[in-house]
């Protein structure tokens, strides 16, 4: 068990944590991050529960198994391949992240899932068509053993799909109870010592928070009364958090981004994070926009369009689901560029995002960006980005990292009671943050925040990149 050098009371909210950390950071590497609490060791199996066994989920699970068998490498995963610099640049200490903090090993992961279709993971992965069939055949016995539990689903929230493997219940509370039974059953039958829920289900129709989402009391009343503002993903989130299980949301649905879920998360010490995996186009946006801002280059327009042919693309062809995704994608520029601070540069931006369902491409999305920028004396310039990416190949390592880091958060006495894990913003298009605090979208700030959180947990110096001490 890793113990901390000094003990202090757990910070009541993120904002205060940031202020405290900033005050302690004094150099390229300052000496000693004070910290409190302990991190329990990653002993035993970690159960990964996935609502939505589609392209992303199967690419993740098949990938983990392929890596365990030595058939492939975990490219794109920070927890598996990343390092963290410790101390001064001259110290030469850059351990692998998985050796620096106690993370679950890949061999300890066990899986279950829920889906409206009855396909097991082998069949679902073959249907998704992301991974080579020859690779899937090598993994067939394992993938076939992961079968979907019946889902909590309502066609009204995902208009483009329907399926037979769905739970029945008089009220949404009954459905939540059935999910809680599933969770307990999986824990028992798998022998897992810890669990994580990772939403990889379809994007649901756009919903705004209402009275029903404001407190545990009003949410439970709404569950019993079948309130239509409670979407299926919220029922999974409620069931998980009630069982004390951390929940990550890979889709743009509100799901855990609600006052009731924050309350439940803190009360039951089940960390939450979301929303919407930052994979292709938005990843590029959160790299380029910070560069324009750093160099004070103006922006007049950013037109983003995509063609996508997988089931996710089909679901997003429905205006209700697209609106949820659009909201998630649009917030990025506003938060990075801060037009109120820089009205001459970013006060009048035309930002448009389109997603077009185009079956021939399958999971291989093509995302185009036309960016109109302006420089010295207002002279215009253009940048074109054409990213021929693979959606689920980009998403799978994110899922792995979130699973392992959320489990770390649950085992950390300092992180587990905080609710939102803002240090995991790095992985999301629309990161959750404390009420009243604007989210950080800049990929490099997110990366620094994540690594400094790991240093902080282990009592290592935070790194500020000041570095004056090298020139004393
Ligand atoms: N792949 C990416 O790059 C990426 C990036 C950001 C977000 N996402 C989001 O991740 C999610 C998964 O993407 P995907 O490509 O795997 O989609 P997919 O359509 O292949 O898989 C989603 C699965 O969820 C199931 N499902 C829907 N509602 C459910 C419910 N209530 N309970 C259980 N199962 C349910 C569907 O039947 C389907 O099998 C989507 O919401 C997508 O928008 C994906």
């Amino acid at each position: 068990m890793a113990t901390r050098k000094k003990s202090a009371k757990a910070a009541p909210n993120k904002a205060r944590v940031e202020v405290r950390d900033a005050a302690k950071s004094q150099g390229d590497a300052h000496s000693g991050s004070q910290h409190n609490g302990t991190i329990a060791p990653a002993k035993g199996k970690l159960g990964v529960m996935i609502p939505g066994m589609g392209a992303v989920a199967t690419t993740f699970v098949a990938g983990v198994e392929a890596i365990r068998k030595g058939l492939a490498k975990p490219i794109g995963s920070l927890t598996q391949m990343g390092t963290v610099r410790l101390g001064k640049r001259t110290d030469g200490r850059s351990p692998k992240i998985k050796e620096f903090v106690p993370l679950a090993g890949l061999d300890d992961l066990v899986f279950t899932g829920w889906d409206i279709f009855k396909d097991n993971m082998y069949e679902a992965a073959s249907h998704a068509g992301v991974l080579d069939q020859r690779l899937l055949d090598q993994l067939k016995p394992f993938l076939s053993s992961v079968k979907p539990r019946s889902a909590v689903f309502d066609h009204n929230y995902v208009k483009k799909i329907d399926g037979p493997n769905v739970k029945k219940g008089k009220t949404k509370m009954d459905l939540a109870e059935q999910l809680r039974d599933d969770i307990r059953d999986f824990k028992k039958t798998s022998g897992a010592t810890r669990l994580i829920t990772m939403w990889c289900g379809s994007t649901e129709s756009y919903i705004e928070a209402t009275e029903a989402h404001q407190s545990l009391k009003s949410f439970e009343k709404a569950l019993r009364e079948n309130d239509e503002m409670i979407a299926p993903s919220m029922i999974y989130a409620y069931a998980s958090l009630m069982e004390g299980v951390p929940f990550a949301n890979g889709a743009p649905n509100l799901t855990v981004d609600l006052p009731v879920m924050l309350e439940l998360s803190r009360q039951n010490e089940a960390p939450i994070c979301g929303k919407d995996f930052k994979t292709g186009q938005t990843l590029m946006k959160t790299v380029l926009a910070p560069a324009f801002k750093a160099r004070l280059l103006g922006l007049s327009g950013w037109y983003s369009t995509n063609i996508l042919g997988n089931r996710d693309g089909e679901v997003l062809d429905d205006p209700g689901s697209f609106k949820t995704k659009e909201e998630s994608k649009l917030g990025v520029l506003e938060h990075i560029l801060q037009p109120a601070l820089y009205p001459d540069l970013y006060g009048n931006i035309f930002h448009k995002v389109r997603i077009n369902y185009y079956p021939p491409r399958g999971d291989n999305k093509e995302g185009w960006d036309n960016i109109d920028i302006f420089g010295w004396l207002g002279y215009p310039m253009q940048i074109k980005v054409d990213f021929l990416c693979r959606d689920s190949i980009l998403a799978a390592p994110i899922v792995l990292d979130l699973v392992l880091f959320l489990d770390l958060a649950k085992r950390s006495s300092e992180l587990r009671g905080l609710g939102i894990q803002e240090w995991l913003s790095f992985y999301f298009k629309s990161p959750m943050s404390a009420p009243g605090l604007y989210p950080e979208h800049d990929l490099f700030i997110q990366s620094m925040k994540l690594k400094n959180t790991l240093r902080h947990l282990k009592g290592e110096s935070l790194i500020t990149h000041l570095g004056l001490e090298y020139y004393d």
Side-chain angles (χ1 to χ4, degrees):
M1 183 178 291
T3 39
R4 315 276 185 75
K5 286 179 204 150
K6 274 197 179 170
S7 85
K9 248 183 144 223
N13 63 40
K14 270 287 169 202
R16 216 179 283 177
V17 172
E18 284 195 330
V19 171
R20 195 183 57 181
D21 286 354
K24 288 187 302 183
S25 308
Q26 296 154 1
D28 180 59
H30 76 88
S31 53
S33 162
Q34 295 178 5
H35 56 154
N36 50 39
T38 54
I39 307 175
K43 243 177 37 206
K45 290 186 199 159
L46 173 61
V48 184
M49 307 187 293
I50 314 178
M53 286 173 37
V56 171
T58 54
T59 306
F60 156 63
V61 174
V64 167
E65 182 63 0
I67 294 157
R68 295 199 281 217
K69 283 179 164 299
L71 300 171
K73 293 222 175 334
I75 314 284
S77 163
L78 187 67
T79 57
Q80 302 308 298
M81 303 191 98
T83 61
V84 55
R85 187 193 116 195
L86 303 176
K88 295 189 173 171
R89 261 184 277 166
T90 45
D91 289 353
R93 293 167 66 213
S94 291
K96 281 198 160 176
I97 285 174
K98 65 178 180 182
E99 283 150 17
F100 177 57
V101 283
L103 298 178
L106 296 194
D107 287 338
D108 294 331
L109 300 186
V110 287
F111 305 95
T112 191
W114 292 269
D115 207 288
I116 64 170
F117 300 109
K118 288 189 171 156
D119 296 350
N120 63 44
M121 279 248 168
Y122 172 77
E123 293 159 337
S126 302
H127 177 268
V130 177
L131 300 175
D132 198 61
Q133 196 61 43
R134 269 182 318 174
L135 176 65
L136 293 178
D137 288 343
Q138 283 176 275
L139 310 171
K140 187 170 177 180
F142 171 75
L143 290 176
S144 308
S145 73
V146 188
K147 300 186 174 79
R149 292 162 192 270
S150 57
V152 170
F153 181 74
D154 183 336
H155 176 68
N156 290 319
Y157 299 87
V158 189
K159 297 251 164 46
K160 292 277 177 175
I161 55 170
D162 220 340
N165 196 30
V166 174
K167 291 192 196 308
K168 289 188 175 50
K170 261 211 190 114
T171 68
K172 294 186 177 185
M173 185 59 104
D174 292 341
L175 296 171
E177 291 299 339
Q178 291 177 42
L179 287 176
R180 293 183 67 181
D181 285 344
D182 284 350
I183 293 172
R184 291 186 207 119
D185 173 71
F186 175 58
K187 187 153 192 210
K188 209 162 105 194
T189 54
S190 67
T193 54
R194 295 142 9 243
L195 300 173
I196 292 293
T197 307
M198 180 77 235
W199 176 267
C200 291
S202 308
T203 299
E204 297 171 328
S205 277
Y206 184 72
I207 288 182
E208 283 180 9
T210 64
E211 197 44 46
H213 306 112
Q214 298 310 312
S215 70
L216 187 55
K217 204 166 156 219
S218 56
F219 189 81
E220 289 184 333
K221 179 167 175 280
L223 277 174
R224 283 189 291 270
E225 291 172 356
N226 283 331
D227 188 319
E228 63 173 16
M229 297 313 278
I230 297 188
S233 66
M234 296 174 195
I235 305 178
Y236 286 94
Y238 169 81
S240 286
L241 299 179
M242 286 297 283
E243 292 297 316
V245 176
F247 190 103
N249 179 17
N253 328 311
L254 285 180
T255 312
V256 275
D257 199 2
L258 294 166
V260 51
M261 301 301 172
L262 182 54
E263 180 186 336
L264 207 45
S265 163
R266 291 174 72 115
Q267 180 184 302
N268 292 353
E269 299 195 316
I272 50 176
C273 61
K275 7 190 236 299
D276 207 4
F277 301 128
K278 176 150 89 174
T279 48
Q281 195 164 56
T282 308
L283 174 70
M284 292 300 143
K285 213 169 255 182
T286 60
V287 169
L288 289 172
F292 303 151
K293 186 167 128 186
R295 285 294 166 94
L296 286 311
L297 292 169
L299 181 71
S300 52
W302 198 315
Y303 187 87
S304 303
T305 188
N306 298 273
I307 55 174
L308 174 64
N310 60 14
R311 193 182 279 151
D312 185 32
E314 190 180 355
V315 166
L316 294 173
D317 214 29
D318 169 66
S321 293
F322 176 68
K323 167 104 172 112
T324 311
K325 191 62 118 181
E326 188 183 27
E327 288 286 315
S328 165
K329 282 182 161 248
L330 281 176
V332 169
L333 287 185
E334 171 96 12
H335 282 116
I336 292 180
L337 298 174
Q338 299 179 295
L341 283 182
Y342 304 96
D344 291 339
L345 299 174
Y346 310 120
N348 188 21
I349 301 170
F350 186 93
H351 185 198
K352 186 89 189 158
V353 178
R354 301 293 315 149
I355 298 176
N356 304 291
Y357 178 50
Y358 180 62
R361 285 292 174 88
D363 199 66
N364 297 351
K365 180 156 80 180
E366 183 160 5
W368 288 273
D369 286 278
N370 171 73
I371 311 158
D372 285 290
I373 61 171
F374 53 92
W376 185 241
L377 313 180
Y379 278 76
M381 294 171 265
Q382 291 182 20
I383 298 174
K384 315 280 178 187
V385 180
D386 184 2
F387 191 4
L388 287 96
C389 64
R390 292 172 187 267
D391 244 14
S392 303
I393 294 294
L394 292 168
I398 292 183
V399 176
L400 175 59
D401 286 355
L402 285 170
V403 163
L404 300 184
F405 280 146
L406 263 191
D407 173 51
L408 174 73
K410 173 81 184 177
R411 284 181 286 110
S412 155
S413 62
E414 187 171 10
L415 297 181
R416 67 171 158 253
L418 294 181
I420 300 165
Q421 303 295 308
E422 201 200 335
W423 60 289
L424 299 175
S425 298
F426 181 62
Y427 296 105
F428 295 109
K429 271 199 214 28
S430 183
M432 286 165 60
S433 50
L437 194 66
Y438 72 80
E440 266 312 341
H441 282 278
D442 177 327
L443 187 80
F444 303 104
I445 294 178
Q446 293 172 334
S447 160
M448 205 187 302
K449 183 189 274 289
L450 190 160
K451 289 193 175 181
N452 268 340
T453 304
L454 299 179
R455 293 182 186 107
H456 172 76
L457 286 178
K458 293 289 305 252
E460 286 283 343
S461 307
L462 305 186
I463 290 189
T464 63
H465 301 287
L466 179 60
L468 292 182
E469 67 269 31
Y470 299 120
Y471 299 90
D472 277 351

